[in-house]
Every structure is written in C-alpha cells, then in structure tokens.
Amino acid sequence: MPKFTEQEKERVRESLLVKGKELFIQYGLAKTSIDDIILACGIGKGTFYKFFASKEELYYAILKNEEEVRKLLIGKLLGESLSPKELLTSFFIASFRYADENPFFQRVFQDGEHERLVRKLPKHLAEELAYEDTAKGIEAVQALMHKGILPKQDPAVVVGIMKAVMLLRFHKDKIGEPLFDQVIEKIIDYVTDGMIKDTRE
C-alpha cells in the first residue's frame, strides 16, 4: 500500500468528503456503496480504509463538517446586538434557511437516514453523535440563560422545543406547501414569545 505525504492525505480525505457528500445526497446512505465512493474518487478500497472504517463513518465525518458550518453561522448571529425576541426569531429563520439551502441536511432526515446512521455507527461514534446533538445544544441554551436572553428553566426542554420546531421543515408536504411559510412564521412567533416570557415579566 503506498505511503502518502501529508498533502496527499489531505487531498484524498477532501476528495472522500466532497465526492461522498455528492453521492449520499443523490442516493442516500443505504444505496451508496464504498465501491461507488472509491470509483468517484479514483482510489482503491485499501486507500478508503486508511481514512474511514466504513461508509457510515465517512457519512458521519461529512455531517460533522456541516454542523461546524452551521455553528459558525449561529455563532455570528449570537454576536449581533439584538433583543431576545429578535435573536431567537433570527436563530430559527437562519436555521430554516440553512436547512433549505443544504441538500445534505435534508437527506439526513429523510427515509430513516439518521436512524440508519446511528444503528450502523460504532458505539463510541453513536454516543458522540448523541452528545453533539443534545449536550452541545444544552450548553448553548445555558449560555443564553446566563446572558439573560432566556429565563432560567430546564435547558433540555428548551433544546427539545427548538428541535421540534426545526423538524417541521421536513414535513412541509404534510403541512401544505402554500401555507407552510405562514404557518412556520406564526409558530416561531408563538414559540419565541413563550421562550422569553419570563424575561419580560
């Protein structure tokens, strides 16, 4: 098996992330094979396994990259001088826009994709995914409470509410395309009012 320079390793890894993402968006996790990925990247199967133990681990690496981009966008938003209501509303709108413009995120929550990923990942990565998904959200909510943007309450419940609102994006067809934007706007308005209520009393 050939030895790679650090630059070659970086190029191969980047190729796997880019080509893998394209294939996963098009075909999904179940229907994308390692053979598809290595063919798209122009590498051998042995080379693939130098970087990832499975296609699920590659999928997870791509998901983590997408999450980092989203966190940067949200981090910039939190740095702006906005009222609690404006900040929370902007958070939901920015998150919805990111989901709308990110076909990989859309794929993750379709056809049991997320559940399939969790089931196939090694235990330590599945646990890491669960931690990233919930614990990091709780940390962010606690920071908002510390700044006085949110009232003191159970942060896990707040994270659950945020997740519930965000998941509505993936049920646009059930809510109804013509009314979806108006419905979401109203839900965001009601939810943000409820989330900051105690800070205004």
Side-chain angles (χ1 to χ4, degrees), residues 120-189:
K120 295 281 190 177
L121 278 175
K123 184 179 178 183
H124 73 283
L125 289 181
E127 289 174 349
E128 184 179 288
L129 179 60
Y131 174 80
E132 291 283 336
D133 198 34
T134 301
K136 289 292 180 76
I138 288 174
E139 288 176 14
V141 168
Q142 288 173 330
L144 292 176
M145 291 178 184
H146 183 71
K147 291 179 180 179
I149 293 168
L150 288 175
K152 299 291 183 184
Q153 54 192 299
D154 185 344
V157 172
V158 177
V159 170
I161 292 168
M162 290 178 163
K163 283 184 183 178
V165 174
M166 292 310 306
L167 286 171
L168 291 173
R169 162 64 187 76
F170 304 102
H171 298 282
K172 184 182 283 191
D173 57 332
K174 292 176 182 148
I175 294 172
E177 187 88 28
L179 289 174
F180 183 78
D181 288 343
Q182 293 177 59
V183 170
I184 291 302
E185 185 179 326
K186 286 289 186 185
I187 288 174
I188 290 173
D189 189 45

